[in-house]
Amino acid sequence: MTVTRLFPILRTTDLPALVDFYQRAFSASVEYRFEHDGREVYVAMAVGGGTIGIGFEPDAAGGDAVAIWLYVDDVDTAHSAAVDAGAESVAEPEGMPWGERVAQVRDPDGTLLYLGSAV
């Protein structure tokens, strides 16, 4: 058995809002949409070189069940774009002792996003 692909799926009570956030904050593009009973319930999005899934779950709870690390070319710009798109800033961009520049934000559902780049 070989794993050929891995990607996170975020669960949300507001699918359109979370899709819009990732499009505006990180230029994500929709690769796939799935509807059930006339309602969009799942969206797969390309974000940089990876993929993120976002699924509608009426009972989903946001928070710290998962954190996502996004490598970006400019942490300061990515942090500002995320905040402008509706993220809450958790940690301003800062140089880390291991040589990367890192910031943290929470998306509109509370998922912690690390924004990092090599220095």
Side-chain angles (χ1 to χ4, degrees), residues 7 19-20 24 30 32-33 37 45 47 81 92 95 98 103 118:
F7 63 94
V19 168
D20 180 64
R24 292 186 316 134
V30 174
Y32 175 78
R33 295 178 184 271
D37 291 334
M45 305 183 79
V47 183
E92 296 288 323
W98 58 85

Side-chain angles (χ1 to χ4, degrees), residues 38-77:
R39 180 183 186 131
E40 193 167 70
V41 295
Y42 177 80
V43 173
M45 305 183 79
V47 183
T51 303
I52 189 168
I54 304 175
F56 170 71
E57 296 286 342
D59 299 323
D64 293 321
V66 65
I68 298 174
W69 185 287
L70 295 104
Y71 274 112
V72 297
D73 59 353
D74 183 332
V75 171
D76 296 78
T77 299

Side-chain angles (χ1 to χ4, degrees), residues 22 26 64 66-72 75 78-79 90-91 96 98 100-107 111-117:
Y22 280 92
F26 303 110
D64 293 321
V66 65
I68 298 174
W69 185 287
L70 295 104
Y71 274 112
V72 297
V75 171
H79 180 266
V90 174
M96 295 293 143
W98 58 85
E100 292 178 322
R101 187 160 179 78
V102 177
Q104 295 177 26
V105 298
R106 287 195 184 275
D107 76 12
T111 301
L112 184 64
L113 307 176
Y114 290 86
L115 309 172
S117 66

